[in-house]
Amino acid sequence: MAVKTQHFWERLSLQEMNRAQWESLCDGCGRCCLHKLEDEDTGDIYFTDVVCHYMDKQTCQCPHYATRQAYVPNCLTIYPDWGEKFNWLPSTCAYRLLHEDKPLFDWHPLISQDPESVHSAGISVRGKTFSDDQVNGEDFQQYIIDWVK
Ligand code: SF4
Ligand code: SF4
């Protein structure tokens, strides 16, 4: 009888993962570096295509990841016990998916074994954003998008 092995993200809860496992969940999409607007009345989150100017537009990586809050004080750190705050992440984000007991997508590099798959599947923000140092903060509402929810 064939035995199907479970991947660590199927076997462990977010709380049980070690640091390396936790970090490897990030697919590198860059969507969490997009500016978001929150409806004060409903709490609904709207993503814009305005991105933090520190993000590398080609790799969609943060060049200051380890010390990012020194550059952007309100840049988020995700925690396993974040609760409702997981709603601040895009619905495709592995951390949110696992928090919601949903499977990872096939394009996730942990499954595809190819870090480029998040880009070739059209999930990353590569080539789709405006930098926040070129957009007036009061105009963000005009940049709301529907390709990230
Ligand atoms: S949205 Fe999630 S998976 Fe994508 S870059 Fe941010 S933390 Fe990583
Ligand atoms: S500081 Fe880095 S991680 Fe934070 S929003 Fe900017 S690019 Fe993204």
Side-chain angles (χ1 to χ4, degrees):
M1 185 175 72
V3 178
K4 192 171 184 300
T5 48
Q6 274 190 310
H7 300 296
F8 76 85
W9 60 90
E10 297 167 329
R11 197 164 29 86
L12 303 174
S13 69
L14 290 174
Q15 285 81 359
E16 291 170 329
M17 292 180 192
N18 64 33
R19 185 82 192 164
Q21 290 167 333
W22 173 265
E23 292 294 331
S24 71
L25 290 179
C26 179
D27 60 34
C29 70
R31 289 182 169 198
C32 56
C33 299
L34 297 174
H35 287 275
K36 298 170 273 297
L37 298 173
E38 183 174 18
D39 185 315
E40 282 181 347
D41 297 326
T42 65
D44 290 344
I45 301 288
Y46 298 92
F47 282 84
T48 73
D49 53 8
V50 182
V51 74
C52 174
H53 60 280
Y54 287 115
M55 195 189 77
D56 182 310
K57 307 294 182 297
Q58 178 61 24
T59 65
C60 301
Q61 302 285 316
C62 177
H64 306 295
Y65 181 70
T67 56
R68 61 195 185 283
Q69 275 97 3
Y71 294 83
V72 178
N74 62 356
C75 181
L76 298 175
T77 299
I78 306 169
Y79 294 104
D81 56 356
W82 235 20
E84 289 184 2
K85 291 185 191 169
F86 279 101
N87 290 340
W88 293 350
L89 296 170
S91 56
T92 53
C93 174
Y95 299 100
R96 178 170 170 178
L97 288 169
L98 295 182
H99 169 72
E100 295 175 345
D101 289 326
K102 294 175 180 168
L104 301 187
F105 289 97
D106 289 347
W107 45 257
H108 194 291
L110 281 174
I111 296 176
S112 67
Q113 298 295 305
D114 176 5
E116 276 297 307
S117 58
V118 68
H119 305 295
S120 52
I123 299 301
S124 84
V125 303
R126 180 186 282 172
K128 300 175 183 168
T129 61
F130 300 94
S131 185
D132 64 8
D133 56 2
Q134 295 174 337
V135 175
N136 187 329
E138 293 177 2
D139 295 337
F140 278 9
Q141 208 163 343
Q142 298 171 26
Y143 291 81
I144 288 174
I145 50 173
D146 61 6
W147 51 269
V148 179
K149 295 192 187 289

